[in-house]
Amino acid sequence: MKNKFNFSARLENLNKKIVAENLDAVLISKIANLFYFSGFRGDSAVLLIGKNFRKLITDARYTEQATQQTEGFEIVQQSEGLYKKIEDEIKNLQIKNLGFEGKILTFAEYKYLQENLPGVELKSVVLDELRQIKDAAEISLISKACEIGDKAFAEILNFIKPGIAEFEVAAELEYFMRKFGAEKNSFDTIVASGVRGSLPHGTASDKKIFAGEFVTMDFGAIFGGYCSDMTRTIFDGKASENQQKLYNAVLDAQLLGLEVIKIGKGGKEIDSVVRMKLEQAGLGNYFTHSLGHSLGIEIHEEPRLSRLSTCESLQENMLVTDEPGIYIPKVGGIRIEDTVLVTVEGAVPLTHSPKNLIEL
């Protein structure tokens, strides 16, 4: 894995951040960022990175793994406590201005550093923004994860029938994703049928699926440390004219999303355009979440496509989901989602499962 990613470019961008923030070093404790900047995929570890040093501090359980998964890092083994070793290293390196991930460090950990490093200025920094634009290796892994999801979806269509419980569908989806190469799920699998479809995050329950119901399945695979995310809603039986109308309204909105997701477009603007499409269909009040989010090492990353988005301009090789949905209490719900790559040619879905209404 360490030869696939361009760690030099990642560390160069990190170094620019260190310089811009006027820091001597940065302490990285978020697991996703440990992986991103070093290739290490364990836990109970931190990175301590400055202009002239790169240290990975962990315990004996992970030193061999860290040596195998990283290049250019000094592996420092601790035996008296992780934060005691961090304290020692910071003192030995005479670091005076230290950046730390304020959204990740616990209050107790921050207090420890504050009390034991009285001469060190601690500054909270955000590093996740450095992961927004994906490189070729990341795109390849996410594409493979999406392919695994597509294969699992094709298989599950042969499994769903009246009387099957939602959790059985989830179990089969997860089994097929593992069978096709997934390390694990990207998140808890959502299977919501009938009236439970009005729950946007309705994780699979013991409810049985009956004929005449929509079944929404939102699931994803992790491959090589990177996530996929897709949603498809199918119908068990023959949909009525009104049910087909509702489904097609969501599909039209989702396809519009693919048209407006472009380099230079802002997250708020894209969300607004698609939201307006559902409002024109009289369904705006039932679209209760944002249009999409990025994903990568984590299932939810920046940039977001939402009314609160801080992304003013999508850039090439960003990834976002396009997932409009409607959720009608006591009736049900419909969501359709692709993982989408932003390119100079426009939005390219990495999810390829059919989106026309499938009636089983």
Side-chain angles (χ1 to χ4, degrees), residues 149-255:
D150 282 331
K151 287 182 177 180
F153 178 71
E155 294 288 346
I156 205 65
L157 295 178
N158 299 317
F159 178 79
I160 296 174
K161 60 183 179 181
I164 293 290
E166 292 173 350
F167 65 72
E168 293 179 90
V169 175
E172 287 293 308
L173 276 170
E174 293 166 8
Y175 163 73
F176 281 117
M177 286 192 289
R178 292 298 292 264
K179 181 178 179 180
F180 295 133
E183 299 168 10
K184 56 183 177 180
N185 309 329
S186 300
F187 51 91
D188 289 341
T189 299
I190 293 170
V191 180
S193 62
V195 294
R196 290 193 73 252
S198 65
L199 304 173
H201 279 185
T203 52
S205 74
D206 60 359
K207 178 194 173 299
K208 295 188 184 301
I209 295 168
F210 297 106
E213 293 184 334
F214 281 113
V215 183
T216 297
M217 294 168 283
D218 187 346
F219 56 99
I222 294 179
F223 182 81
Y226 281 79
C227 300
S228 68
D229 192 0
M230 67 177 285
T231 306
R232 292 294 186 267
T233 301
I234 58 94
F235 195 83
D236 192 339
K238 178 66 177 175
S240 68
E241 183 177 342
N242 184 61
Q243 288 166 331
Q244 292 178 31
K245 182 179 177 181
L246 290 172
Y247 185 91
N248 288 330
V250 177
L251 178 58
D252 288 345
Q254 204 270 343
L255 294 174

Side-chain angles (χ1 to χ4, degrees), residues 120-140:
V120 178
E121 182 178 342
L122 302 173
K123 182 177 182 180
S124 178
V125 295
V126 178
L127 303 179
D128 291 7
E129 60 194 24
L130 301 178
R131 306 198 328 256
Q132 290 189 72
I133 298 175
K134 272 46 180 183
D135 60 30
E138 292 178 293
I139 293 168
S140 176

